Amino acid sequence: MNALELADEAATRALGARIAGSFAAGGVIYLQGELGAGKTTLVRGLLGALGVGGRVKSPTYTLLEPYELAGGRLAVHLDLYRLGAAEELEYLGLRALAQPGNLLLVEWPERGAGHLPAPDLRVILSHHGEARRARLEPPGTLA
């Protein structure tokens, strides 16, 4: 897919909201890109569109933040940047969280390689001057 131009934070949130429509029933989304590329901003737009009210925090230090969705399902936002080893995902209870109907949003998925469920979508964000670019890749493609 061609890169989408994201002029500002509002455009990044709007892209997250558009993606949310395809993941109302759950799934796994990998969010990739360098620091400050807009991964958490995109998650805020996505979760807001799925009805999550209140503040959506970055899980940079907690590694994961769960959010309740309609129907008792969960959205789990993971930030694996500070993960010491992929095996640590077992201690976070990832297996129990990766249930059908739940939504996993994984920043820095390469740090959990071999221990994460396969993605349904990969979003690659990058800096482009003052703006950002996003590339959406279906499962089975390499980043």
Side-chain angles (χ1 to χ4, degrees):
M1 173 179 219
N2 291 334
L4 302 169
E5 299 294 328
L6 304 171
D8 54 21
E9 184 175 324
T12 304
R13 284 179 183 251
L15 176 60
R18 285 182 21 217
I19 291 170
S22 298
F23 288 89
V28 179
I29 301 174
Y30 286 2
L31 301 146
Q32 295 177 272
E34 59 262 355
L35 290 170
K39 296 178 295 292
T40 298
T41 299
L42 186 133
V43 167
R44 287 181 178 128
L46 193 153
L47 291 176
L50 291 177
V52 173
R55 186 168 179 251
V56 172
K57 300 181 286 186
S58 173
T60 299
Y61 295 101
T62 59
L63 298 183
L64 70 85
E65 289 290 336
Y67 298 92
E68 238 179 272
L69 299 176
R73 296 176 304 109
L74 281 179
V76 181
H77 182 195
L78 295 115
D79 183 334
L80 305 183
Y81 183 74
R82 298 191 188 293
L83 190 71
E87 293 78 20
E88 291 177 23
L89 289 171
E90 294 299 320
Y91 301 114
L92 294 176
L94 181 65
R95 205 175 301 227
L97 297 171
Q99 297 297 313
N102 286 349
L103 176 60
L104 296 181
L105 305 162
V106 185
E107 295 187 32
W108 302 96
E110 58 277 7
R111 297 188 185 236
H115 294 272
L116 291 170
D120 297 302
L121 177 68
R122 186 184 314 266
V123 181
I124 299 112
L125 295 157
S126 61
H127 295 277
H128 184 64
E130 294 296 313
R132 305 287 184 265
R133 280 190 176 151
R135 201 171 75 237
L136 281 61
E137 294 183 353
T141 59
L142 297 175

